[in-house]
């Protein structure tokens, strides 16, 4: 399913090509998707965005783990300022996502955080370039250039230390994968 940012890109492309009807449809889809993210994925209980899932009984529930995916609403242009500030706080917190070598896939203070790649659950803590890229794009969208620069500095140090790999230990920089 396309996401709000995809619809916005398609909207811009359609408008550039002179297809106003497609641009309008994509703009409407982007707005609806963004509204759904804010309505369904924001948890007062958790004080931020959380991944949701539908349980076996059909109810929508929030995932327990505080993952990097919970930071992705930074990519949206209509995320309320106070929520953006809270997300940036998570990104810059040394207890949460501000690891020595960029952003882990699970917050470091989360019980499920595992910085190593000891088993087949690869999204429990190691750093992945693509998830860091999404957060960097979101931070840049909202003008947090200092945070972008700090993450890029960590990423540069990581690559200089370990080379280019699929994923890394966020605490030591040890490379994993291809």
């Amino acid at each position: 399913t396309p996401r709000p940012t995809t619809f916005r890109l398609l909207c811009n492309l359609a408008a550039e090509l002179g297809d106003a009807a497609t641009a309008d449809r994509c703009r409407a889809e982007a707005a609806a998707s963004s509204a759904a993210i804010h309505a369904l994925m924001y948890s007062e209980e958790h004080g931020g965005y959380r991944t949701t899932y539908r349980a076996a009984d059909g109810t929508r529930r929030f995932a327990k783990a505080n993952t990097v995916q919970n930071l992705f609403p930074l990519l949206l242009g209509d995320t309320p300022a106070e929520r953006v500030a809270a997300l940036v706080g998570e990104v810059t917190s040394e207890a949460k996502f501000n690891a020595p070598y960029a952003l882990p896939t699970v917050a470091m203070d989360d019980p499920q955080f595992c910085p190593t790649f000891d088993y087949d659950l690869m999204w429990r803590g190691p750093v992945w370039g693509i998830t860091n890229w999404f957060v960097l794009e979101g931070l840049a969208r909202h003008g947090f250039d200092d945070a972008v620069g700090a993450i890029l500095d960590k990423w540069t140090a990581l690559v200089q230390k370990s080379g280019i790999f699929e994923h890394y230990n966020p605490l030591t920089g040890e490379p994993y994968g291809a």
Side-chain angles (χ1 to χ4, degrees):
T1 302
R3 301 288 184 244
T5 51
T6 304
F7 283 121
R8 286 189 184 96
L9 291 171
L10 291 172
C11 171
N12 294 342
L13 181 59
E16 189 173 313
L17 294 173
D19 186 347
T22 300
D24 289 344
R25 179 177 166 267
C26 290
R27 191 176 295 108
E29 291 287 345
S33 295
S34 188
I37 288 169
H38 295 308
L40 298 175
M41 295 182 69
Y42 190 80
S43 168
E44 293 291 340
E45 175 188 350
H46 293 99
Y49 291 90
R50 287 291 182 270
T51 301
T52 65
Y53 67 95
R54 206 166 288 285
D57 64 3
T59 60
R60 182 179 300 275
R61 297 190 185 163
F62 292 108
K64 292 179 183 176
N66 185 10
T67 70
V68 70
Q69 184 178 358
N70 298 335
L71 304 173
F72 290 0
L74 285 168
L75 289 164
L76 304 174
D78 64 350
T79 302
E82 68 277 0
R83 291 183 183 181
V84 169
L87 291 167
V88 172
E90 293 228 350
V91 170
T92 58
S93 169
E94 291 182 4
K96 295 196 177 290
F97 289 99
N98 189 8
Y101 291 101
L103 308 173
T105 48
V106 171
M108 294 177 289
D109 65 347
D110 190 289
Q112 295 188 49
F113 173 70
C114 179
T116 61
F117 187 63
D118 295 336
Y119 46 85
D120 288 335
L121 292 175
M122 49 188 154
W123 296 96
R124 289 293 183 247
V127 171
W128 289 73
I130 190 67
T131 57
N132 278 242
W133 180 81
F134 284 131
V135 175
L136 286 166
E137 286 291 312
L139 290 168
R141 171 179 280 269
H142 294 282
F144 288 92
D145 297 337
D146 289 344
V148 168
I151 294 168
L152 288 175
D153 287 346
K154 288 180 178 204
W155 188 258
T156 301
L158 176 63
V159 170
Q160 287 175 339
K161 175 182 178 170
S162 300
I164 298 175
F165 282 83
E166 195 173 10
H167 48 110
Y168 306 84
N169 183 310
L171 304 177
T172 67
E174 179 183 352
Y176 306 121

